[in-house]
Amino acid sequence: MGSSSETESESRGFQNPDWETEFNRFEDSISSGSASIRVRSIIKLSDLATRVPESYILRAIPILAGLLRVSDDPNRSVQAAAAHCLKRIACHGGEDGGFAVTMGRCGAIASLLGLLLEANTNNNGDVFRGIWVKCLWSLVTFGSSIRVGLARLGGLEIVIRELNNWEDDGSRWYLLEILSALTTIRESRRVLVHSGGLKFLVEAAKVGNLASRERSCHAIGLIGVTRRARRMLVEAGVITALVDLYRDGDNKAKLLAGNALGIISAQTEYIRPVTEAGSIPLYVELLSGQDPLGKDIAEDVFCILAVAEGNAVLIAEQLVRILREGDNEAKLAASDVLWDLAGYRHSVSVIRESGAIPLLIELLRDGSLEFRERISGAISQLSYNENDREAFSDSGMIPILIEWLADESEELRDNAAEALINFSEDQEHYARVHEAISHPVFQSMQSRLARIRASHELMVRSIRRVTLEHLVRDPDRL
């Protein structure tokens, strides 16, 4: 690892090195050699990094980290060589990050941040700036445990400043990945919001390796829960970035992007741009997929997007397609969404006109108990609407509901009874459900619903009374 004036000796060292001898030469050249000899020794170590035994690498790291702080090399060639060598060693250390963590303990992070600050005031700083950034990137990427230390040293603020100052620079990709790594820390996410750095987080979700983009996406989902942050993220182009990540990414990326996009759409003013970006087909894919978490995310987001009637129409069309062509799990998921949408006033007519009701009844005849239980919940909700009662009746649903009153499943019995009560209160259908009225399950549900309605009316009257009393006590509000 040390320098030698004899080429033959060097050649033998490369082929079959005596590591202890080589390390001693390396130490001698660093401690007493000129700048050029130091650089030569460091480059040799860098070339041999994948072959040098771990014990010698661990002994070399403190020496290399110390070289980042040398002050007797105005050209910064020794520091640049040391930073390059540390980067190679950190990358060679693998995902467990043992070498990178050792570098952090030796003060490499603080030294690199100092060199970056100096690079902005030095006329020759641009030459080495990329080397400092790449070395810092390797430490943060392969030594995840040292990210907290970097954040405490103001690393995120320095990265944001670098990104603001250098727009078209080869180091930008590395800076964005450093930023995404730091967003795994809660305090760093707060700094991003208050320092104008969210635009860089969105940029980080667009470029770099997939792991970095996924980290950025996860941070977007965590940060986007507040209205202020959502607005800033949308202004930075987050919707397009998330849709692109969903399309480019693996299953994990799809889940993260789908969840983050749903968080953005939770603010009603962003429902339209999220839809126009082509999000509905993405959530159809999640709902039809095999991942239970993906199905949950899709169901939640569909409930948000369906607030807009036009979206409810598009969603219902896709749900009908799943009911026709999907596997059993996808059909169950689609029925859950239909149940959720049944609570929306405008979605009731949308579901009816989509042709979903005849499909549901057809599937009920051969479906599993779980499927019948889920569908029965949607039917009980839809039966509150006059037009949907007519559609169910025309499709032969009433005899099935009466049959369910004797089913072993309590959930199925209750949902059937609730639907039949709604039919019985409609003069158009009373005669068809007359035989069910005397059934104990029907009567029990009728009493339960009466108590619920009475309790609701009492609560409404109480709220009105409290409000009036408050206004009487505070006449200025009248």
Side-chain angles (χ1 to χ4, degrees):
M1 288 184 285
S3 64
S4 174
S5 60
E6 299 182 9
T7 305
E8 183 178 351
S9 175
E10 278 194 4
S11 178
R12 285 197 303 269
F14 272 91
Q15 295 299 323
N16 186 25
D18 175 347
W19 293 116
E20 186 63 33
T21 300
E22 289 295 318
F23 186 79
N24 290 335
R25 289 176 179 170
F26 172 75
E27 282 187 307
D28 291 341
S29 64
I30 296 301
S31 63
S32 59
S34 63
S36 61
I37 291 177
R38 289 180 178 182
V39 169
R40 187 176 178 184
S41 297
I42 296 168
I43 291 175
K44 183 177 178 182
L45 173 59
S46 181
D47 291 338
L48 292 172
T50 58
R51 296 176 54 198
V52 178
E54 181 175 335
S55 60
Y56 291 100
I57 290 291
L58 291 173
R59 290 167 63 185
I61 287 174
I63 298 173
L64 294 168
L67 289 174
L68 295 177
R69 298 187 291 270
V70 299
S71 58
D72 60 349
D73 179 24
N75 295 324
R76 299 293 183 232
S77 58
V78 173
Q79 291 165 303
H84 174 72
C85 188
L86 286 170
K87 171 183 172 291
R88 290 206 59 183
I89 292 173
C91 294
H92 174 56
E95 295 298 328
D96 59 356
F99 292 159
V101 171
T102 301
M103 294 173 194
R105 291 171 181 164
C106 292
I109 293 291
S111 297
L112 290 167
L113 291 177
L115 289 167
L116 270 176
L117 290 170
E118 180 186 285
N120 287 280
T121 60
N122 192 317
N123 292 332
N124 297 321
D126 295 356
V127 178
F128 298 115
R129 179 174 174 273
I131 297 175
W132 316 142
V133 170
K134 290 176 184 178
C135 185
L136 191 61
W137 166 86
S138 69
L139 269 62
V140 173
T141 301
F142 297 101
S144 58
S145 62
I146 64 176
R147 294 171 187 171
V148 173
L150 175 59
R152 288 174 178 170
L153 290 170
L156 182 59
E157 292 87 340
I158 293 175
V159 168
I160 291 173
R161 190 200 61 200
E162 292 292 308
L163 287 167
N164 275 316
N165 292 340
W166 303 86
E167 295 185 0
D168 301 315
D169 181 76
S171 304
R172 192 171 188 82
W173 182 87
Y174 294 95
L175 287 167
L176 290 169
E177 291 210 355
I178 295 171
L179 182 139
S180 79
L182 291 175
T183 59
T184 58
I185 303 167
R186 178 185 297 181
E187 184 59 33
S188 293
R189 295 194 293 271
R190 294 179 60 187
V191 171
L192 271 178
V193 174
H194 297 292
S195 64
L198 288 183
K199 61 183 179 181
F200 299 126
L201 181 62
V202 173
E203 186 180 353
K206 298 179 181 178
V207 300
N209 67 58
L210 188 58
S212 174
R213 295 176 68 188
E214 288 173 351
R215 286 196 301 264
S216 301
C217 182
H218 185 234
I220 288 169
L222 294 172
I223 293 172
V225 296
T226 66
R227 291 180 62 89
R228 175 172 175 262
R230 273 198 297 268
R231 175 180 56 78
M232 296 166 68
L233 288 166
V234 170
E235 290 174 352
V238 74
I239 294 175
T240 302
L242 292 175
V243 170
D244 288 345
L245 177 58
Y246 182 100
R247 290 171 175 159
D248 297 342
D250 56 13
N251 184 64
K252 179 182 178 182
K254 292 181 188 300
L255 293 176
L256 288 169
N259 184 64
L261 200 57
I263 291 170
I264 298 299
S265 66
Q267 197 161 323
T268 54
E269 62 191 279
Y270 300 135
I271 289 178
R272 181 174 179 179
V274 167
T275 305
E276 291 177 346
S279 63
I280 289 180
L282 308 185
Y283 289 108
V284 171
E285 181 182 342
L286 283 180
L287 193 70
S288 303
Q290 300 301 314
D291 194 307
L293 180 57
K295 293 180 185 295
D296 289 344
I297 291 171
E299 181 178 349
D300 291 344
V301 179
F302 275 147
C303 290
I304 295 171
L305 298 181
V307 169
E309 185 171 355
N311 289 344
V313 172
L314 295 174
I315 293 169
E317 290 174 353
Q318 294 297 328
L319 295 176
V320 167
R321 183 181 64 79
I322 293 174
L323 289 174
R324 285 187 179 132
E325 305 171 3
D327 59 25
N328 288 337
E329 288 299 318
K331 289 176 181 177
L332 283 171
S335 68
D336 283 343
V337 178
L338 284 170
W339 186 353
D340 294 332
L341 298 190
Y344 293 11
R345 184 172 299 176
H346 62 261
S347 291
V348 172
S349 61
V350 167
I351 293 172
R352 182 180 66 251
E353 293 168 5
S354 70
I357 290 176
L359 271 175
L360 290 174
I361 296 175
E362 181 182 340
L363 292 169
L364 283 173
R365 301 184 191 280
D366 301 315
S368 65
L369 174 60
E370 182 183 8
F371 188 79
R372 283 183 283 137
E373 286 178 343
R374 294 195 190 186
I375 293 296
S376 67
I379 292 171
S380 68
Q381 293 299 309
L382 290 167
S383 67
Y384 282 90
N385 179 269
E386 179 181 355
N387 292 325
D388 284 328
R389 286 196 295 272
E390 182 178 350
F392 279 124
S393 179
D394 292 343
S395 300
M397 190 66 228
I398 290 178
I400 297 175
L401 291 172
I402 294 175
E403 181 182 339
W404 283 352
L405 292 177
D407 198 274
E408 293 181 358
S409 167
E410 181 181 359
E411 183 175 355
L412 200 59
R413 294 196 305 268
D414 288 348
N415 287 332
E418 184 175 357
L420 287 168
I421 289 169
N422 290 327
F423 278 104
S424 71
E425 294 173 351
D426 187 332
Q427 291 300 318
E428 294 291 327
H429 304 290
Y430 178 82
R432 295 185 181 183
V433 301
H434 179 72
E435 63 179 284
I437 293 176
S438 59
H439 197 286
V441 175
F442 183 99
Q443 293 181 348
S444 174
M445 177 58 69
Q446 195 170 42
S447 298
R448 194 187 313 173
L449 290 176
R451 289 195 299 272
I452 292 172
R453 289 167 181 169
S455 175
H456 176 71
E457 290 174 1
L458 178 62
M459 182 179 68
V460 171
R461 287 198 299 270
S462 297
I463 292 173
R464 288 174 178 167
R465 184 169 61 253
V466 170
T467 303
L468 288 172
E469 291 174 354
H470 177 70
L471 290 175
V472 170
R473 289 196 301 268
D474 189 359
D476 292 338
R477 292 181 178 269
L478 292 173

